[in-house]
């Protein structure tokens, strides 16, 4: 079976995403890249009920190489991101606080220094219908480099979030961090106006060693 370990990992992370509330039902999707091949979760299937053979393997043009199930409807977005980044894994969530921020804001400001682990200010991609080339282009634009380099997370207007990683574990942990940051922001707004860290304050954090990983194209 092609990409056997990656397909097993997709199932494991899919279960963890469902258990942690990052997805519900058949929402959300995950992929792993190895060279010119991508293993992705299948469309219309709950992530905590997948088996490795359920996850199709595609080439970078989206051609099915192995598997019986159709790939996730968001596969064009995953492939568009891989095209311009060196990321090896992508996680797309429909988490509660991420969706709240994505429905009300144009960006998630850096209210905590750990925002730098995702690249700083997390942009909200313009809305487009799920699974479309338009949405893929909007998300890719939201991931373009900012003040602190290329982003490793973006939110999708009225939809959810997407995170990148050098491996699947990092992409999953970035998804957890994004949801935590969104949760802190939403809760802070309940009691007052959240204080946003200045560029000078963030630069001091960078100088202490917290620098986003490099996901530049290879």
């Amino acid at each position: 079976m092609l990409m056997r370990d990656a397909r097993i990992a997709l199932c494991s992370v899919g279960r963890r995403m469902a258990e942690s509330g990052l997805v519900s039902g058949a929402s959300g999707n995950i992929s792993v890249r190895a060279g010119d091949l991508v293993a992705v979760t299948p469309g219309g299937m709950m992530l905590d009920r997948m088996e490795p053979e359920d996850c199709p393997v595609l080439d970078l043009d989206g051609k099915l190489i192995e598997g019986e199930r159709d790939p996730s409807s968001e596969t064009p977005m995953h492939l568009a991101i891989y095209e311009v980044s060196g990321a090896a894994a992508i996680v797309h969530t429909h988490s509660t606080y991420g969706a709240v921020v994505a429905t009300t804001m144009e960006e998630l400001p850096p209210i905590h220094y750990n925002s730098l682990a995702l690249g700083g200010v997390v942009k909200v991609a313009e809305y487009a219908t799920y699974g479309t080339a338009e949405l893929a282009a909007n998300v890719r634009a939201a991931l373009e480099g900012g003040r602190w380099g290329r982003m490793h997370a973006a939110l999708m207007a009225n939809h959810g979030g997407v995170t990148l990683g050098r491996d699947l574990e990092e992409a999953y942990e970035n998804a957890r961090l994004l949801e935590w940051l969104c949760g802190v922001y939403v809760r802070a707004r309940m009691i007052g106006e959240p204080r946003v860290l200045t560029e000078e304050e963030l630069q001091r954090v960078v100088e202490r060693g917290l620098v986003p990983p490099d996901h530049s194209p290879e």
Side-chain angles (χ1 to χ4, degrees):
M1 182 169 65
L2 286 174
M3 299 186 69
R4 180 183 182 86
D5 290 346
R7 291 156 95 174
I8 291 172
L10 287 177
C11 296
S12 175
V13 169
R15 287 191 292 272
R16 291 158 66 190
M17 288 172 65
E19 291 167 358
S20 63
L22 292 176
V23 297
S24 61
S27 67
N29 35 76
I30 326 167
S31 69
V32 175
R33 176 182 177 180
D36 294 331
L37 296 178
V38 175
V40 64
T41 50
M45 190 172 189
M46 295 185 180
L47 297 189
D48 57 350
R49 301 181 186 179
M50 299 183 304
E51 297 296 335
E53 57 270 20
D54 292 320
C55 300
V57 174
L58 318 171
D59 65 18
L60 293 175
D61 293 322
K63 178 183 177 182
L64 181 66
I65 303 300
E66 184 174 284
E68 299 296 326
R69 290 184 173 272
D70 291 332
S72 165
S73 61
E74 295 292 9
T75 298
M77 177 185 69
H78 290 248
L79 297 179
I81 294 171
Y82 285 129
E83 186 178 7
V84 295
S85 79
I90 297 169
V91 167
H92 166 44
T93 64
H94 284 195
S95 55
T96 300
Y97 288 114
V100 170
V101 173
T103 302
T104 58
M105 307 284 293
E106 294 184 356
E107 62 183 30
L108 175 66
I111 55 172
H112 191 280
Y113 63 82
N114 274 332
S115 298
L116 284 171
L118 300 179
V121 177
V122 178
K123 301 174 186 176
V124 177
E126 293 184 13
Y127 180 80
T129 304
Y130 78 91
T132 62
E134 181 183 6
L135 178 61
N138 291 351
V139 172
R140 196 161 77 171
L143 288 167
E144 289 179 353
R147 170 68 175 82
W148 310 104
R150 178 167 289 277
M151 295 299 300
H152 310 300
L155 291 163
M156 305 154 70
N158 302 86
H159 190 156
V162 60
T163 53
L164 286 60
R166 291 169 293 185
D167 53 38
L168 186 53
E169 187 65 24
E170 183 176 81
Y172 169 69
E173 291 300 330
N174 283 344
R176 293 181 61 203
L177 175 58
L178 177 61
E179 176 66 358
W180 182 80
L181 290 168
C182 288
V184 169
Y185 184 84
V186 170
R187 289 165 175 159
R189 285 292 297 266
M190 293 178 181
I191 60 174
E193 185 64 29
R195 180 180 179 278
V196 177
L197 296 176
T198 66
E199 286 201 3
E200 181 181 358
E201 289 168 333
L202 291 171
Q203 182 60 41
R204 290 173 185 165
V205 175
V206 171
E207 291 169 358
R208 290 186 64 84
L210 182 55
V211 181
D214 183 16
H215 291 163
S216 300
E218 296 176 347

